Structure formats: C-alpha cells, structure tokens
Amino acid sequence: MPAFTFEMPTIDVEAQTLEFLGHVYPMKGIMRMIVILFGYLLIRPMLLKLSGKAQSADHAREMRADEADSMAATGKVAPGGEIDESSDEEEGGWGKSVRRRERAARLMEQQRQQREEEEEDEELKAMLED
C-alpha cells in the first residue's frame, strides 16, 4: 500500500483550473464557492438576530380569540417535548402507554419517598422516647 503524500495544489493559469488531490476544479466554481461560503458566514448572524427579534415580538403580543385553542395557549406540548399531565386523560393515541409508565414510575417514587420519611419520623420518635 503506497504511503499517502500530500501534493501542493497546482494552478493552470491558461486553463483557469486548480488541481487539488487528483481533481481538477475550474476557477469559476472555486470563486463561486468562496463567495457563497463567506456570504453565508456574514449573513447568518444577522438573520439569527432578526429572527430572534421577530420571535420575541411574537411572544410579547396578545393572543387572538382564534388562537385560544392552540398548543401555546393551552399549555399542551408537541410530541417530543415535556409531557403535560392534564392532557393525558383527554387524549389517547401515540405515546399513551409511555405517559402511563412515566406516571406510574413517578407515583412509585413518591410512595417510596413517603415511606422513607415515615421511617425516619418513627426512628426520631423512638429516639426521643428513650
């Protein structure tokens, strides 16, 4: 297996091409890629700032009457987000068994914590009586 050797890119001025790693690239394509790349790098922060302002303005505005039943207004969360316990009983469908398992796990954890607290209270009472 031959060892990898790095060759410097060669520029053919007459043909306006650049040969790099065994491929020949036209200078027009290289310049186009450079302009696109730097344009993206320059414009992206401005677009993010602009979209952030638009989003904050959208969050600040009052809800219209026809938006009252939207997910944002009701507090329900889209799939993949946190689970809203009030929507468990209302709707079936996807994820119902997962919500049920999570609810059962939370209930078991609460019961375990209650038992531990009761045991600690009993131990303290026993210590105080002695």
Side-chain angles (χ1 to χ4, degrees), residues 65-92:
D66 61 337
E67 294 176 332
D69 61 344
S70 70
M71 289 192 327
T74 59
K76 294 181 183 176
V77 179
E82 294 180 12
I83 296 172
D84 183 16
E85 294 178 15
S86 65
S87 66
D88 289 348
E89 294 81 24
E90 297 171 6
E91 299 175 9

Short mmCIF file of all heavy atoms in Angstrom, two decimals, residues 65-92:
data_model
loop_
_atom_site.label_atom_id
_atom_site.label_comp_id
_atom_site.label_asym_id
_atom_site.label_seq_id
_atom_site.Cartn_x
_atom_site.Cartn_y
_atom_site.Cartn_z
N ALA A 65 -58.51 35.65 19.67
CA ALA A 65 -59.55 34.71 20.08
C ALA A 65 -59.43 33.38 19.32
O ALA A 65 -59.67 32.32 19.89
CB ALA A 65 -60.92 35.33 19.84
N ASP A 66 -59.06 33.43 18.05
CA ASP A 66 -58.97 32.19 17.28
C ASP A 66 -57.71 31.38 17.62
O ASP A 66 -57.59 30.23 17.23
CB ASP A 66 -59.01 32.48 15.78
CG ASP A 66 -57.86 33.37 15.32
OD1 ASP A 66 -57.31 34.10 16.15
OD2 ASP A 66 -57.54 33.33 14.12
N GLU A 67 -56.79 31.96 18.39
CA GLU A 67 -55.59 31.24 18.80
C GLU A 67 -55.73 30.65 20.20
O GLU A 67 -54.80 30.05 20.71
CB GLU A 67 -54.38 32.18 18.81
CG GLU A 67 -53.99 32.68 17.45
CD GLU A 67 -52.84 33.68 17.52
OE1 GLU A 67 -52.70 34.36 18.55
OE2 GLU A 67 -52.10 33.75 16.54
N ALA A 68 -56.89 30.81 20.81
CA ALA A 68 -57.07 30.39 22.19
C ALA A 68 -56.92 28.89 22.38
O ALA A 68 -56.58 28.43 23.46
CB ALA A 68 -58.43 30.84 22.70
N ASP A 69 -57.17 28.10 21.33
CA ASP A 69 -57.06 26.65 21.49
C ASP A 69 -55.76 26.10 20.91
O ASP A 69 -55.60 24.90 20.77
CB ASP A 69 -58.26 25.96 20.82
CG ASP A 69 -58.32 26.26 19.33
OD1 ASP A 69 -57.66 27.21 18.89
OD2 ASP A 69 -59.04 25.53 18.62
N SER A 70 -54.80 26.97 20.63
CA SER A 70 -53.52 26.50 20.10
C SER A 70 -52.69 25.84 21.21
O SER A 70 -52.98 26.00 22.39
CB SER A 70 -52.73 27.65 19.49
OG SER A 70 -52.30 28.52 20.50
N MET A 71 -51.67 25.11 20.83
CA MET A 71 -50.83 24.42 21.82
C MET A 71 -50.14 25.42 22.73
O MET A 71 -49.94 25.16 23.91
CB MET A 71 -49.80 23.53 21.12
CG MET A 71 -50.42 22.33 20.48
SD MET A 71 -49.30 21.03 19.91
CE MET A 71 -47.88 21.84 19.38
N ALA A 72 -49.74 26.56 22.21
CA ALA A 72 -49.06 27.56 23.03
C ALA A 72 -49.99 28.14 24.08
O ALA A 72 -49.58 28.42 25.21
CB ALA A 72 -48.51 28.67 22.15
N ALA A 73 -51.26 28.33 23.73
CA ALA A 73 -52.21 28.93 24.66
C ALA A 73 -52.69 27.94 25.71
O ALA A 73 -52.92 28.30 26.85
CB ALA A 73 -53.39 29.49 23.89
N THR A 74 -52.85 26.68 25.33
CA THR A 74 -53.39 25.70 26.27
C THR A 74 -52.34 25.08 27.16
O THR A 74 -52.67 24.46 28.16
CB THR A 74 -54.11 24.57 25.51
OG1 THR A 74 -53.17 23.93 24.64
CG2 THR A 74 -55.29 25.10 24.73
N GLY A 75 -51.07 25.19 26.81
CA GLY A 75 -50.01 24.62 27.62
C GLY A 75 -49.68 23.19 27.23
O GLY A 75 -48.81 22.57 27.82
N LYS A 76 -50.37 22.65 26.26
CA LYS A 76 -50.05 21.31 25.80
C LYS A 76 -48.75 21.37 25.01
O LYS A 76 -48.44 22.37 24.38
CB LYS A 76 -51.17 20.75 24.93
CG LYS A 76 -52.45 20.53 25.70
CD LYS A 76 -53.50 19.97 24.82
CE LYS A 76 -54.81 19.82 25.59
NZ LYS A 76 -55.89 19.36 24.74
N VAL A 77 -48.00 20.28 25.05
CA VAL A 77 -46.69 20.26 24.42
C VAL A 77 -46.72 19.34 23.22
O VAL A 77 -47.36 18.29 23.24
CB VAL A 77 -45.62 19.79 25.43
CG1 VAL A 77 -44.26 19.74 24.79
CG2 VAL A 77 -45.61 20.72 26.63
N ALA A 78 -46.03 19.74 22.17
CA ALA A 78 -45.96 18.94 20.96
C ALA A 78 -45.20 17.64 21.24
O ALA A 78 -44.46 17.54 22.21
CB ALA A 78 -45.24 19.73 19.86
N PRO A 79 -45.36 16.64 20.38
CA PRO A 79 -44.62 15.39 20.55
C PRO A 79 -43.12 15.65 20.63
O PRO A 79 -42.58 16.45 19.88
CB PRO A 79 -44.96 14.59 19.30
CG PRO A 79 -46.27 15.14 18.85
CD PRO A 79 -46.25 16.59 19.24
N GLY A 80 -42.46 14.96 21.55
CA GLY A 80 -41.03 15.15 21.72
C GLY A 80 -40.70 16.14 22.81
O GLY A 80 -39.56 16.26 23.24
N GLY A 81 -41.69 16.87 23.31
CA GLY A 81 -41.46 17.84 24.37
C GLY A 81 -41.79 17.23 25.71
O GLY A 81 -41.94 16.02 25.87
N GLU A 82 -41.90 18.05 26.72
CA GLU A 82 -42.26 17.56 28.05
C GLU A 82 -43.73 17.15 28.05
O GLU A 82 -44.53 17.64 27.27
CB GLU A 82 -42.03 18.65 29.09
CG GLU A 82 -40.57 19.02 29.25
CD GLU A 82 -40.38 20.09 30.29
OE1 GLU A 82 -41.34 20.38 31.03
OE2 GLU A 82 -39.28 20.63 30.34
N ILE A 83 -44.05 16.27 28.95
CA ILE A 83 -45.41 15.74 28.99
C ILE A 83 -46.27 16.61 29.89
O ILE A 83 -45.91 16.93 31.01
CB ILE A 83 -45.38 14.29 29.51
CG1 ILE A 83 -44.61 13.42 28.53
CG2 ILE A 83 -46.78 13.76 29.73
CD1 ILE A 83 -44.36 12.04 29.02
N ASP A 84 -47.42 16.99 29.37
CA ASP A 84 -48.39 17.76 30.14
C ASP A 84 -49.37 16.78 30.76
O ASP A 84 -50.08 16.07 30.06
CB ASP A 84 -49.11 18.75 29.23
CG ASP A 84 -50.08 19.64 29.97
OD1 ASP A 84 -49.98 19.70 31.21
OD2 ASP A 84 -50.92 20.26 29.31
N GLU A 85 -49.42 16.70 32.09
CA GLU A 85 -50.23 15.71 32.77
C GLU A 85 -51.72 15.91 32.53
O GLU A 85 -52.48 14.97 32.54
CB GLU A 85 -49.93 15.72 34.25
CG GLU A 85 -48.53 15.27 34.57
CD GLU A 85 -48.22 15.33 36.04
OE1 GLU A 85 -49.18 15.46 36.85
OE2 GLU A 85 -47.04 15.26 36.38
N SER A 86 -52.17 17.13 32.31
CA SER A 86 -53.59 17.38 32.12
C SER A 86 -54.08 16.84 30.78
O SER A 86 -55.25 16.56 30.62
CB SER A 86 -53.89 18.87 32.21
OG SER A 86 -53.27 19.56 31.15
N SER A 87 -53.19 16.68 29.82
CA SER A 87 -53.62 16.19 28.51
C SER A 87 -53.64 14.68 28.45
O SER A 87 -54.10 14.11 27.48
CB SER A 87 -52.71 16.73 27.42
OG SER A 87 -51.41 16.19 27.58
N ASP A 88 -53.16 13.97 29.51
CA ASP A 88 -53.12 12.51 29.48
C ASP A 88 -54.51 11.90 29.42
O ASP A 88 -54.75 10.96 28.69
CB ASP A 88 -52.39 11.97 30.71
CG ASP A 88 -50.91 12.25 30.66
OD1 ASP A 88 -50.44 12.64 29.57
OD2 ASP A 88 -50.23 12.07 31.69
N GLU A 89 -55.43 12.42 30.22
CA GLU A 89 -56.75 11.83 30.29
C GLU A 89 -57.60 12.23 29.09
O GLU A 89 -58.50 11.52 28.71
CB GLU A 89 -57.46 12.27 31.58
CG GLU A 89 -56.81 11.73 32.85
CD GLU A 89 -55.60 12.53 33.29
OE1 GLU A 89 -55.50 13.72 32.92
OE2 GLU A 89 -54.74 11.97 33.98
N GLU A 90 -57.33 13.37 28.52
CA GLU A 90 -58.16 13.90 27.45
C GLU A 90 -57.92 13.19 26.12
O GLU A 90 -58.83 12.94 25.37
CB GLU A 90 -57.91 15.39 27.27
CG GLU A 90 -58.28 16.21 28.47
CD GLU A 90 -57.83 17.64 28.32
OE1 GLU A 90 -57.33 18.00 27.25
OE2 GLU A 90 -57.97 18.41 29.27
N GLU A 91 -56.69 12.88 25.83
CA GLU A 91 -56.36 12.39 24.50
C GLU A 91 -55.68 11.03 24.59
O GLU A 91 -54.86 10.79 25.45
CB GLU A 91 -55.41 13.36 23.80
CG GLU A 91 -55.98 14.74 23.61
CD GLU A 91 -54.96 15.69 23.03
OE1 GLU A 91 -53.88 15.24 22.62
OE2 GLU A 91 -55.25 16.88 22.99
N GLY A 92 -56.03 10.14 23.68
CA GLY A 92 -55.33 8.87 23.55
C GLY A 92 -54.34 9.00 22.41
O GLY A 92 -53.94 10.08 22.03
#
